[in-house]
């Protein structure tokens, strides 16, 4: 995968409670719904990938958005069969690509992705004012 594009990772093993009804896991259905919009993903400059488990079983369905030298975001509680969630993810990618270091405050994210964020992680070499170096206190 190229470091030049953002990567949208989808947990493929997430369960949403509709597996018996649909015959597939929620994560797989979310990936299918997003993949159905592949032209929009390509236009937004994002690469799609599946992950076997993202260890957030209490908050399925899970996605993350990341890129080298940019913030990483993790979102949960996405509903695979709701077009509004897919639309919000595509809008998120566009906003992410246009933000310095990919940093998005809560108000800058699509409304559907404001409350269900599970984490926002700065890049290792971030210039953001959110990040400060913690040096050990010198022993006296």
């Amino acid at each position: 995968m190229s470091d030049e594009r953002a990567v949208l990772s989808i947990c493929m093993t997430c369960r949403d409670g509709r597996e018996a009804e649909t015959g597939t896991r929620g994560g797989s259905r979310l990936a299918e719904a997003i993949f159905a919009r592949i032209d929009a993903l390509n236009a937004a400059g994002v690469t799609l990938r599946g992950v076997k488990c993202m260890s957030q079983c209490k908050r399925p369905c899970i996605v993350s958005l990341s890129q080298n030298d940019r913030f990483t975001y993790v979102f949960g509680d996405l509903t695979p069969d709701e077009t509004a969630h897919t639309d919000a993810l595509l809008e998120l990618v566009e906003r992410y690509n246009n933000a310095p270091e990919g940093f998005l405050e809560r108000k800058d994210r699509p409304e559907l992705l404001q409350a269900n964020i599970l984490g926002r992680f700065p890049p290792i070499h971030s210039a953001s004012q959110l990040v400060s170096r913690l040096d050990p206190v010198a022993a006296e």
Side-chain angles (χ1 to χ4, degrees):
M1 285 183 206
S2 171
D3 292 342
E4 298 171 15
R5 293 171 60 97
V7 176
L8 184 64
S9 300
I10 304 167
C11 181
M12 301 299 289
T13 56
C14 278
R15 295 178 185 266
D16 68 345
R18 296 188 58 221
E19 287 72 26
E21 174 187 336
T22 64
T24 58
R25 291 189 180 213
S28 292
R29 290 194 328 279
L30 180 60
E32 288 173 13
I34 294 170
F35 192 76
R37 309 278 301 275
I38 195 68
D39 291 339
L41 289 168
N42 286 331
V46 68
T47 299
L48 188 62
R49 72 175 177 175
V51 179
K52 287 189 180 177
C53 180
M54 293 175 71
S55 296
Q56 291 290 323
C57 299
K58 291 184 179 186
R59 301 285 303 272
C61 291
I62 303 298
V63 301
S64 69
L65 181 61
S66 57
Q67 187 175 359
N68 282 347
D69 301 321
R70 297 175 72 74
F71 276 78
T72 294
Y73 293 85
V74 180
F75 297 94
D77 303 322
L78 298 173
T79 305
D81 307 313
E82 283 190 27
T83 305
H85 285 187
T86 306
D87 292 343
L89 288 169
L90 292 172
E91 185 178 343
L92 176 75
V93 169
E94 183 179 331
R95 293 179 184 193
Y96 178 83
N97 285 337
N98 291 320
E101 284 193 341
F103 176 74
L104 298 169
E105 292 185 31
R106 179 185 175 105
K107 67 179 176 54
D108 297 328
R109 297 189 304 264
E111 188 173 345
L112 282 174
L113 300 176
Q114 290 180 1
N116 58 347
I117 188 167
L118 302 181
R120 175 181 66 201
F121 309 99
I124 297 297
H125 302 289
S126 179
S128 173
Q129 292 182 1
L130 293 176
V131 180
S132 61
R133 182 180 170 121
L134 297 178
D135 292 320
V137 177
E140 295 183 38

